[in-house]
Amino acid sequence: MKGGGGGDGAGIERLLFTASAGDADPQSRPLLLVGQLPNLQKIIWSQVKGKLEPRVNQEVWQAALNTLNPNPIDSCSLWLDNAVVAALPSKISRHNSPSSAHFLTRLIRNCSSRRTNRCIVIVCEYTEVFASACALTRAFPLFTRRTGLPKQGEKLTVTVEFILVGENANPLTESTLACLLSAAEGIRIAARIVDTPCNEMNTDDFLAEIELVGSELGIIPTVIRGEELNDRGFGGIYGVGKAAVTPPALAILSHKPEGATQTIAWVGKGIVYDTGGLSIKSKTCMPGMKRDCGGAAAVLGAFRAAVKQGFKENLHALFCLAENAVGANATRPDDIHQLYSGKTVEINNTDAEGRLVLADGVSYASKDLKADIILDIATLTGAQGIATGKYHAGLLTNSEEWERACVKAGRNSGDLVQPMVYCPELHFSEFTSAVADMKNFVA
């Protein structure tokens, strides 16, 4: 993939998921053993001694386990900082992931800072493997522009092994390992795009990322761009991005396997930078707005992973790409745009731009792609952080069945979601306009 960081990938770790990491002296291959304390205590010495000897004996291992007191996490050095055992919290509330996924990411970041090949062994139940692998992956971002990292060619490898406890404690199969790798690669692609600043990740660059994934999967993307968006009625995407140097775009990747029985569309908000437009953000609120393309980045990584794993239904990934810039051609408050749905919207806040680009993407998914299920994902509003907090995405859906399924999937994957009130008949009056079908921001 494009980017990488630090001299086109220098010093960036390669993740290797394996059924067995083999034995090695921790002096030559540092080791981190991590899991919930009750799971760590189920390990028998023969399962780990080959990764710890001759530096650590069984007595030291047992003494370390006895000293661990996670609150919420804890770690203990077994031999210098080359062999560490770390414990996750075992008491998890019903709105958290049983895997302790968010704590795992934090713990690995704290304990795995060495710039050398190393091994991480995660001790967990089989049902927690996927979430644990995703959480681990988040501790190893691809993008950096720091200097002083190992030179190109000195690619570092983090070998990851799972020791399973409880039911289904057999070694992971090759198909499961392939699934973990596909998910990890998708997460790292999405994170790299989000981490990359707009001077390196504008709409041109994002389209290049989409084309690269499409080429890898044998899919040619459909791209509607610039003035063509305006000519074809995509007033939301065009209106948001028309003032930027690089023009806005709607891009689509389509996976259509034989035998598919339904059509699913994922629509991602891809605002590569959000100044707020003429309703400009403050100096403290604007930094970090390179991350406003997180929805589209997540769709790209997830689409790649799903197709590589042989997804059996029609799947369309839609990317609503724009830079919400300030310029002579920028949308003004009081302007009226016509969306692809045919509805008109009066702009009373140019910083409420995500809903405008998503409206066009969702309408295209419904009208042109005939999608049975549409999911949009976005860094849509700071109100979400107030409503559901830092760790739970806000989930809004007109389907109770999908609401339950998404909450369950979130707990299983570690990507937590929390349902929000779905009651448009009571809420939509807030967006009433005297001159258009709606406003884009509350009264």
Side-chain angles (χ1 to χ4, degrees):
M1 295 299 297
K2 179 191 174 218
D8 296 325
I12 300 300
E13 296 92 344
R14 178 175 71 101
L15 296 181
L16 175 63
F17 294 94
T18 179
S20 174
D23 297 339
D25 184 335
Q27 184 175 37
S28 59
R29 188 186 68 179
L31 173 71
L32 171 64
L33 272 151
V34 58
Q36 295 178 3
L37 186 55
N39 292 336
L40 290 172
Q41 291 169 336
K42 294 176 183 177
I43 295 177
I44 57 177
W45 173 242
S46 61
Q47 290 177 287
V48 296
K49 72 173 186 176
K51 297 176 175 61
L52 293 171
E53 290 182 339
R55 311 298 164 183
V56 180
N57 58 32
Q58 186 173 2
E59 289 73 25
V60 171
W61 164 254
Q62 194 59 54
L65 292 183
N66 292 336
T67 64
L68 289 172
N69 183 28
N71 185 29
I73 59 178
D74 194 16
S75 62
C76 180
S77 172
L78 300 167
W79 184 71
L80 304 177
D81 59 352
N82 283 45
V84 176
V85 60
L88 298 165
S90 54
K91 293 182 179 180
I92 300 298
S93 64
R94 62 190 175 93
H95 284 153
N96 200 354
S97 171
S99 63
S100 300
H102 291 287
F103 296 104
L104 178 59
T105 304
R106 186 195 313 172
L107 195 153
I108 290 174
R109 284 173 177 160
N110 292 341
C111 296
S112 297
S113 60
R114 293 177 59 88
R115 285 285 173 183
T116 182
N117 294 329
R118 54 202 184 279
C119 177
I120 298 176
V121 176
I122 299 177
V123 184
C124 66
E125 296 186 9
Y126 180 79
T127 55
E128 299 165 3
V129 165
F130 184 79
S132 299
C134 292
L136 174 143
T137 299
R138 293 186 179 94
F140 297 99
L142 287 172
F143 179 83
T144 181
R145 288 294 177 261
R146 290 180 176 177
T147 58
L149 298 177
K151 296 179 181 179
Q152 178 68 18
E154 298 179 14
K155 186 71 75 172
L156 304 176
T157 299
V158 177
T159 305
V160 183
E161 176 185 342
F162 287 87
I163 294 179
L164 301 185
V165 298
E167 298 181 7
N168 196 2
N170 298 318
L172 298 182
T173 64
E174 287 300 319
S175 61
T176 299
L177 293 169
C179 175
L180 298 182
L181 181 60
S182 293
E185 289 173 343
I187 289 168
R188 297 184 94 191
I189 289 169
R192 176 175 54 75
I193 291 172
V194 169
D195 287 342
T196 304
C198 189
N199 64 321
E200 299 181 43
M201 188 58 64
N202 58 33
T203 54
D204 287 343
D205 300 309
F206 206 122
L207 284 172
E209 298 283 348
I210 294 168
E211 290 169 359
L212 193 57
V213 169
S215 176
E216 185 180 3
L217 301 176
I219 300 171
I220 299 175
T222 298
V223 179
I224 306 167
R225 190 152 203 221
E227 291 301 321
E228 185 185 359
L229 285 168
N230 191 36
D231 295 340
R232 294 179 58 173
F234 293 92
I237 299 174
Y238 179 78
V240 170
K242 64 181 180 175
V245 174
T246 55
L250 174 65
I252 304 100
L253 290 172
S254 297
H255 168 69
K256 296 183 283 188
E258 292 185 8
T261 59
Q262 62 180 343
T263 297
I264 300 165
W266 294 343
V267 184
K269 174 188 172 184
I271 303 299
V272 293
Y273 200 81
D274 183 18
T275 66
L278 293 182
S279 305
I280 196 164
K281 294 179 183 291
S282 69
K283 66 178 181 181
T284 55
C285 291
M286 200 183 301
M289 286 300 106
K290 66 178 183 178
R291 297 191 289 265
D292 214 14
C293 62
V299 167
L300 184 62
F303 180 85
R304 179 183 182 274
V307 174
K308 285 178 73 71
Q309 285 303 113
F311 194 74
K312 299 185 183 302
E313 303 293 353
N314 294 323
L315 180 62
H316 301 284
L318 293 86
F319 308 91
C320 306
L321 305 177
E323 180 182 349
N324 190 18
V326 175
N329 197 34
T331 291
R332 296 162 290 263
D334 294 336
D335 284 358
I336 296 175
H337 296 316
Q338 186 167 34
L339 304 175
Y340 191 66
S341 64
K343 297 287 188 179
T344 57
V345 55
E346 178 188 5
I347 308 302
N348 62 338
N349 182 357
T350 63
D351 196 21
E353 84 296 332
R355 61 204 68 180
L356 300 174
V357 301
L358 288 173
D360 280 352
V362 167
S363 293
Y364 185 88
S366 177
K367 291 167 59 176
D368 294 65
L369 302 178
K370 310 300 181 185
D372 304 301
I373 300 164
I374 300 174
L375 179 150
D376 74 63
I377 180 168
T379 48
L380 193 65
T381 170
Q384 174 274 321
I386 298 170
T388 63
K390 179 180 178 181
Y391 296 107
H392 293 74
L395 170 64
L396 191 67
T397 175
N398 61 353
S399 167
E400 187 175 357
E401 177 185 0
W402 274 96
E403 182 175 281
R404 290 194 299 267
C406 287
V407 170
K408 181 179 179 181
R411 294 181 74 242
N412 289 340
S413 68
D415 277 321
L416 300 169
V417 296
Q418 178 65 28
M420 300 176 71
V421 175
Y422 181 80
C423 198
E425 63 271 25
L426 296 182
H427 297 158
F428 200 76
S429 59
E430 288 290 313
F431 298 90
T432 299
S433 168
V435 292
D437 293 322
M438 69 194 87
K439 291 181 179 179
N440 75 318
F441 196 68
V442 292

